[in-house]
Amino acid sequence: MYLALREMRFAKTRYLLIMAIMLLVSFLVLFVTGLAGGLAYANASAVENMPATHFLMQQDASQRFARSIVGEKELNKARSVVGDANAQRLGVQMTTVTGGTDGMKTDITLFGVDMGSWLAPTVVSGSAVSNTGAGEVVVDRKLAEEGITVGSLLHDQTTGLTWTVSGFTENQSFSHTPAVFMNLSDWQQLKQQMAGRAAADPAFAAPFNAIAIQATDAEAELLSQQLEGTAIITKKQAVASIPGYKEEQGSLMMMISFLFVISAFVLAVFFYVITIQKTSQFGILKAIGTKTFYLARSVVAQALVLAAASLAVSCMLVAVMQAALPASMPFQLSPVTIGYTCLLFIAMSLLGSLVSVIQVARTDALDAIGRAAG
Amino acid sequence: MTATKLMLNEITRVYHDGDTELTVLNKLSLEVKAGELVAVMGPSGSGKSTFLSIAGALLTPTSGEVLIDGESLAGKNGQQLSKLRLHNIGFIFQSANLLPYLKVEEQLMLVAKLADMDKRAAQARSAMLLERLGLLHRRSAYPNQLSGGEKQRVAIARAWMNDPAILFADEPTASLDASRGQDVVAMLAREVKAEGKAAVMVTHDERVLHLCDRILHLKNGVLVSA
Ligand SMILES: Nc1ncnc2c1ncn2[C@@H]1O[C@H](COP(=O)(O)OP(=O)(O)O)[C@@H](O)[C@H]1O
Ligand SMILES: [Mg+2]
């Protein structure tokens, strides 16, 4: 560190400039990572926050809730394998409702669940919906921004049904729309309307889209062997199959990876150029008995100092920005994610300094003798 | 401490350049005793750099033996040679001797640090050397604030820092004008006497020869007295 720090002190401008670049890149990495996290959350939090481990869907549904239809037969089979409580009906239906202050139209996703089971949403304000109540729903807090309050009416465009908001839940979105939870009898009625049947036909068994399962991987495997025409997918797969999720996350991930590679390259080029410039210095240092290891460590230390300093500043900037961003902005960056991102960034910086380390190792102490500076 | 600081026994160095062999040093022998400043002269291409590199443990000879302060270099690996250079050999190069980003005092402290010298002892020694070379008032200056003569004097001070047995100088006055060149070599000679050490200097500069104890010429791969 003796040489590393003194050189940075001497050539301040040079190192500050490269730090500025590293700072911008690392800030962008953190920002895009936060954006990816926020978008992922807005896209899939309803599924991610479900305490299910697996979902049972129709085989040819491409793992998508909307395309899958399952019924009582599959449910009974699943319950016989994993236990009655561990397999629950799940209805998923995207629709458009009017409601709120100025009767604005809003896209929402309806979830039909057993309100007595572990699929029931956690209510943060207002009251929960029971399995016996009729026409009552628990909605995601995002709807409050549209002027929806407890007691508001949501009017479904497709079926003409109307539901009363009984309470709010939070962090429940599906494909960027707020989730609206109803009990299974309301779900039955919804499906009946959609199928064009007269109200309250007891003979009609409403299909649902998936069966949410709490099971070990071994049980899930067993179940998939026993049931034909269905697929058991993990929660992760279900999330990734939400329309737009993979595309959105994929392009953001590509940006992030590119930024990481860019940071490594920027450092690599910077250190390579200054290392080449310093070849004669390294020759002299080696001639007077400096170990290659010491010199290599010095280069690596500089890369580390640069990376750490720029990360520290960009973490502060991100914290400031996070506080300033409007709540509607999809931005989510947990300390753990920041930690991992920083570690990866530092690893990439080390990788970038490696080329120079090799260059330092190659420098011959003999260079010092018999060669004039010019 | 031995009286013989440097001993070269029948050193031969052959360069292979494709099919041709070039014998640059041919059974060259030399003994330098404590308190001696030896000048080595010779035209370009006569092998002065090769000689200095071998004597300075930077290059291994094709055959022959090198002893520094009584210790043979034969069979030592790169790390051991590097350590030996750090502790037993001082170098003064033609130019670009100093690290541009270290202050004068730090140039000396670096060497002490590399050698794990006690910090207090190092500071005392560095102050003493800078004082003797008339550089104490420049101790916080960067190399780009120093004159050519001052730079070479710092290089001399740095070379002495680890109390080496012998000092090698490669045309130390090449970038200096006549009077400054004289000053630098005079100080070098004085330090050799003061510390009871030895020094070998490759030079083209006729005007500094009177300060040397012996003048040798490199001819046909061996050293001959003038
Ligand atoms: N690495 C090398 N490979 C081949 N020939 C070399 C090498 N180094 C030096 N020589 C040759 O050895 C001779 C002596 O070189 P050198 O020791 O540099 O002489 P001087 O320093 O007196 O000019 C020159 O002819 C030079 O071309
Ligand atoms: Mg030469």
Side-chain angles (χ1 to χ4, degrees):
Chain A
M1 289 296 256
Y2 191 84
L3 288 179
L5 293 180
R6 275 165 184 77
E7 186 180 4
M8 294 174 97
R9 177 192 67 187
F10 183 74
K12 275 185 213 78
T13 324
R14 181 190 279 199
Y15 284 93
L16 279 177
L17 283 175
I18 190 73
M19 212 190 95
I21 296 176
M22 297 289 290
L23 181 116
L24 292 174
V25 175
S26 61
F27 178 77
L28 206 54
V29 165
L30 286 171
F31 182 79
V32 178
T33 305
L35 200 64
L39 286 172
Y41 212 68
N43 209 341
S45 57
V47 177
E48 259 171 17
N49 289 339
M50 251 176 225
T53 56
H54 297 78
F55 294 95
L56 186 149
M57 288 188 195
Q58 225 174 352
Q59 180 83 63
D60 43 14
S62 321
Q63 309 186 344
R64 290 208 183 172
F65 288 106
R67 291 185 189 168
S68 165
I69 294 175
V70 291
E72 297 300 322
K73 194 185 99 205
E74 288 86 357
L75 180 67
N76 291 334
K77 190 78 195 173
R79 286 190 161 167
S80 72
V81 175
V82 297
D84 279 4
N86 292 334
Q88 296 292 341
R89 299 175 183 88
L90 177 64
V92 181
Q93 177 67 53
M94 298 189 79
T95 184
T96 306
V97 293
T98 51
T101 34
D102 39 12
M104 269 216 326
K105 285 187 184 177
T106 311
D107 289 332
I108 58 151
T109 302
L110 292 168
F111 283 88
V113 298
D114 180 345
M115 287 295 178
S117 75
W118 42 265
L119 274 182
T122 315
V123 174
V124 291
S125 72
S127 52
V129 172
S130 72
N131 272 336
T132 49
E136 291 193 323
V137 289
V138 168
V139 303
D140 181 64
R141 186 121 78 174
K142 244 202 298 188
L143 279 179
E145 286 162 27
E146 317 276 336
I148 305 271
T149 54
V150 170
S152 295
L153 297 179
L154 297 179
H155 184 77
D156 181 29
Q157 280 216 305
T158 343
T159 59
L161 291 169
T162 300
W163 304 293
T164 314
V165 174
S166 125
F168 284 100
T169 180
E170 60 186 358
N171 296 330
Q172 300 276 12
S173 306
F174 184 87
S175 202
H176 293 290
T177 65
V180 171
F181 290 86
M182 55 177 49
N183 64 24
L184 288 171
S185 63
D186 278 330
W187 176 258
Q188 159 106 14
Q189 204 184 359
L190 172 79
K191 284 287 146 177
Q192 224 164 301
Q193 285 285 334
M194 288 174 80
R197 300 203 180 207
D201 176 355
F204 177 73
F208 28 94
N209 300 83
I211 297 169
I213 293 171
Q214 283 184 327
T216 61
D217 284 343
E219 284 173 322
E221 178 60 27
L222 183 69
L223 186 55
S224 73
Q225 280 166 8
Q226 292 192 4
L227 268 176
E228 276 192 12
T230 60
I232 307 276
I233 62 168
T234 60
K235 183 150 88 174
K236 219 171 160 175
Q237 289 171 312
V239 166
S241 304
I242 294 173
Y245 187 91
K246 250 190 285 194
E247 294 76 2
E248 204 174 85
Q249 291 295 308
S251 45
L252 290 172
M253 281 308 144
M254 196 181 83
M255 276 173 73
I256 295 170
S257 340
F258 261 83
L259 287 172
F260 274 121
V261 174
I262 288 171
S263 68
F265 263 93
V266 165
L267 265 195
V269 170
F270 174 76
F271 277 107
Y272 187 69
V273 169
I274 58 173
T275 304
I276 296 280
Q277 276 181 356
K278 293 192 296 187
T279 303
S280 69
Q281 288 176 25
F282 286 127
I284 283 170
L285 279 167
K286 282 189 177 186
I288 65 173
T290 315
K291 283 192 218 117
T292 300
F293 178 71
Y294 184 89
L295 296 176
R297 216 174 48 186
S298 180
V299 174
V300 170
Q302 286 184 342
L304 275 182
V305 168
L306 282 180
S310 30
L311 277 175
V313 179
S314 53
C315 282
M316 278 190 302
L317 287 180
V318 163
V320 169
M321 197 195 62
Q322 220 165 352
L325 276 181
S328 58
M329 174 90 178
F331 190 90
Q332 216 177 51
L333 199 56
S334 67
V336 177
T337 313
I338 294 183
Y340 277 123
T341 308
C342 290
L343 279 184
L344 194 59
F345 197 79
I346 285 179
M348 292 309 274
S349 313
L350 288 183
L351 207 65
S353 68
L354 211 65
V355 192
S356 301
V357 168
I358 294 168
Q359 190 63 31
V360 168
R362 274 209 201 124
T363 310
D364 196 340
L366 264 181
D367 281 358
I369 291 241
R371 256 157 252 192
Chain B
M1 200 183 281
T2 38
T4 300
K5 294 294 173 188
L6 172 70
M7 183 78 144
L8 299 180
N9 281 332
E10 307 209 322
I11 299 290
T12 299
R13 174 72 206 199
V14 182
Y15 285 119
H16 296 272
D17 193 8
D19 293 339
T20 56
E21 279 193 356
L22 181 65
T23 306
V24 179
L25 303 180
N26 192 3
K27 300 200 169 175
L28 176 149
S29 293
L30 173 69
E31 184 180 355
V32 185
K33 293 202 155 58
E36 266 194 309
L37 170 58
V38 176
V40 172
M41 305 192 71
S44 180
S46 58
K48 300 182 301 295
S49 295
T50 305
F51 155 77
L52 207 62
S53 304
I54 289 175
L58 291 166
L59 186 67
T60 36
T62 310
S63 70
E65 193 187 20
V66 182
L67 291 101
I68 305 274
D69 210 13
E71 190 179 349
S72 172
L73 302 191
K76 287 199 192 298
N77 65 24
Q79 275 209 347
Q80 290 168 321
L81 289 175
S82 171
K83 197 170 164 200
L84 182 127
R85 288 199 301 272
L86 179 60
H87 294 280
N88 298 339
I89 300 177
F91 282 105
I92 300 164
F93 305 106
Q94 211 159 329
S95 59
N97 248 315
L98 307 176
L99 297 170
Y101 49 86
L102 293 186
K103 294 174 185 166
V104 166
E105 201 168 30
E106 291 168 345
Q107 308 270 350
L108 274 62
M109 292 305 287
L110 169 69
V111 182
K113 205 177 146 56
L114 292 174
D116 279 328
M117 199 189 279
D118 171 66
K119 198 171 170 200
R120 293 264 292 281
Q123 271 164 346
R125 181 162 175 82
S126 125
M128 183 268 285
L129 284 170
L130 291 177
E131 162 95 75
R132 281 219 311 247
L133 290 163
L135 287 164
L136 207 51
H137 64 294
R138 303 296 270 151
R139 65 177 176 274
S140 301
Y142 283 106
N144 60 14
Q145 299 165 318
L146 300 176
S147 71
E150 283 174 327
K151 279 185 208 164
Q152 288 304 64
R153 267 146 59 195
V154 176
I156 294 176
R158 183 184 65 184
W160 285 135
M161 188 63 194
N162 277 346
D163 201 17
I166 184 156
L167 195 144
F168 294 103
D170 184 21
E171 301 194 34
T173 60
S175 53
L176 305 179
D177 62 42
S179 76
R180 284 184 199 282
Q182 296 256 3
D183 282 353
V184 166
V185 177
M187 286 196 186
L188 183 59
R190 210 182 64 204
E191 292 301 312
V192 168
K193 309 285 182 254
E195 300 257 326
K197 299 298 166 60
V200 175
M201 169 175 70
V202 164
T203 186
H204 281 298
D205 195 347
E206 307 263 343
R207 292 161 304 199
V208 302
L209 294 181
H210 67 277
L211 295 160
C212 303
D213 300 300
R214 265 198 288 164
I215 299 154
L216 300 172
H217 288 264
L218 193 51
K219 262 191 205 130
N220 304 322
V222 290
L223 286 168
V224 293
S225 300

